[in-house]
Amino acid sequence: MSIDNSKIPFFKKGDIGALTYVVTNNIINYLIVIGTLSGILGWPDDIVYGKVIPGMSIGLALSCLYYVYMAMKLAKKEGRNDVVALPSGVSTPAMFVILYGVVMPLHYALGNPELTWSAAVAACFIGGAVEFSGGFIGPWMKRNIPRAALLGTVAGIGFIWMATQGLFDIFSDPVVGFPIFIVAMVGLFGGYLFPKKLPPLVVAVVGGIIYAFCLGRTSIDFTGIGFYFPNPVSTFQNLVNGFSIVAPYLTIIIPIEIYNFVETMDNVEAANAAGDNYSVREAQFADGICTMISALFGGVVPNTVWLGHAGLKKADAGIGYSIISGLILGGAGIFGLFTFLSELVPPAICGITYLWCAVIMVAQAFRVCEGKYFAAITVSMIPPVADFLFTQVTGSVGLANIWTEVTASGVNGYSPEVTEMIINAGVMWRGIPEVKAGAIIVGILAGAMTAFIIERKLDKAAITMFVAAVLSLFGFVHSASLGFYPHSQFVLGYLVSTVLLFVLHFGSKSWLEAQDDFDYV
């Protein structure tokens, strides 16, 4: 009797840790989505718990189960049973960019949660389509866009939006926030473990919930638990209506989804290096399709392959963790189990998660790139700050019933009189509206140009500036909306820069000398 060596055990001891990793971190992402939509924006429960959360859960459950199928297929192909399913989850960087770069500005501009949700669903669907396309164009983009530019831009988003919000949430209630902060930091950045190898983050989350409840800061409410299964037919109509609204935000959606599918590529390639030879293209297709399905059921954030496959393989995990986590997360969203968690979890827990994710995003950018690219990372981190400052300033000025308008330069800003008043008051505003328009693309372009200059590839830096000119011409950057802007000063500026860089490129072969062993630090 022969033994089938390709049959993976349904559940292994290593699946316990893997299950904790996937479920815990995804739940925290769910809480961040709930905290943003319900807590900050005040969306009604029927949208948050009746559409957004179930939609996310359906997409996530499908991706978890599909990765089990991929693992079983790989095991059969290679005749071994030690294959580990790819870890799946909500894309944390993309989640923050969609929430703060698309949903929040739309919410304040439209003043209608239902309409904003329609646009967010459309954005999620478009993002899934971009992820899917990564299976075709991903390798080319990875070869031609400097990694420092991609990682630096995302790090800038993490720092200015996530880290600040996280730390301020902790300090807003020090009695609750400080103990949670300290316990979590001991594990996340100090590397300590409690007895039985219990991670301090788990202690901080569970203990923080109990601690806040005992202090009366939170409450338990089971009234929201029920059955929430969105109707994809009605959601599809909302999705179609949302396309026209979300069109100006394609300059945010497309770049972050490019980052997302590059992240999937990296994480699947890491799994390949660990011994499980998955198809990168198939994983990108799966991410894109599951994200689009999530949008059809009301979800607003994309899925991705997570980091950590090598650790799960070392821990001897298999496929059971992915099956169970998919069922848990899918069931929790459909049956409304997140409704009582939102009332039970103090803001400081989401705050430490914001801060942790932001630190990882910034640290990763500097860790995986050579030291010579630190300038490119830093430069690409700056444009997202313009998006943050624009939101803060316009929100404050709006209290005086003064709103932005399309200015003579083609961007959303204020009249010359209001602009002068803001600048004279010492507020950093000059150039903010211009950089804010397409800030993510501007960050990638600025970082890419800097990286190519560091590499002494001035011809590629020139091509980057020409691409920037084309994007400006059609309003992808530095414009309030897509269109045709042949008279834009940015088109002219980028074209002049293109010519200058080509002149310097050809000069580097004769009169422009490159110093040996040059280090700008």
Side-chain angles (χ1 to χ4, degrees), residues 49-51 54-55 58 226-232 234-235 297 330 333-336:
Y49 300 111
K51 298 174 181 177
I58 291 169
F227 183 72
Y228 302 91
F229 197 85
N231 182 353
S234 60
T235 303
F297 282 92
I334 292 171
F335 291 103

Side-chain angles (χ1 to χ4, degrees), residues 138-159:
W140 181 88
M141 299 201 73
K142 187 177 179 182
R143 287 194 304 270
N144 289 278
I145 298 178
R147 199 170 189 194
L150 281 173
L151 292 177
T153 304
V154 174
I157 295 166
F159 173 76

Side-chain angles (χ1 to χ4, degrees), residues 398-484:
L399 295 174
N401 202 32
I402 300 173
W403 307 102
T404 59
E405 58 191 46
V406 178
T407 64
S409 61
V411 299
N412 277 322
Y414 293 110
S415 65
E417 296 78 17
V418 174
T419 298
E420 185 178 0
M421 289 172 58
I422 292 173
I423 294 173
N424 289 342
V427 178
M428 184 183 292
W429 186 249
R430 185 176 287 110
I432 295 297
E434 289 77 10
V435 178
K436 184 267 180 191
I440 294 179
I441 296 181
V442 175
I444 293 173
L445 290 169
M449 181 194 67
T450 307
F452 287 135
I453 290 174
I454 291 169
E455 295 173 349
R456 294 177 174 175
K457 298 176 180 177
L458 300 184
D459 54 339
K460 288 192 174 183
I463 293 171
T464 302
M465 289 295 94
F466 181 74
V467 170
V470 173
L471 292 174
S472 299
L473 180 65
F474 293 102
F476 282 96
V477 291
H478 312 306
S479 294
S481 61
L482 300 178
F484 186 64

Side-chain angles (χ1 to χ4, degrees), residues 57-93:
S57 298
I58 291 169
L60 188 53
L62 289 175
S63 65
C64 287
L65 296 176
Y66 188 82
Y67 291 140
V68 170
Y69 163 73
M70 286 181 64
M72 295 172 67
K73 186 169 64 171
L74 180 61
K76 184 176 181 179
K77 176 183 176 182
E78 299 187 354
R80 57 191 182 89
N81 60 10
D82 62 343
V83 176
V84 181
L86 293 166
S88 177
V90 172
S91 174
T92 303

Side-chain angles (χ1 to χ4, degrees), residues 252-304:
I252 298 173
I253 298 164
I254 292 175
I256 191 59
E257 292 301 341
I258 290 173
Y259 166 84
N260 208 28
F261 69 60
V262 170
E263 180 185 28
T264 293
M265 288 176 61
D266 287 343
N267 293 341
V268 177
E269 287 172 358
N272 293 346
D276 289 341
N277 299 306
Y278 286 109
S279 165
V280 176
R281 176 170 290 181
E282 184 179 3
Q284 289 178 309
F285 288 163
D287 273 351
I289 291 172
C290 289
T291 295
M292 286 188 280
I293 292 174
S294 174
L296 287 173
F297 282 92
V300 298
V301 293
N303 299 337
T304 192

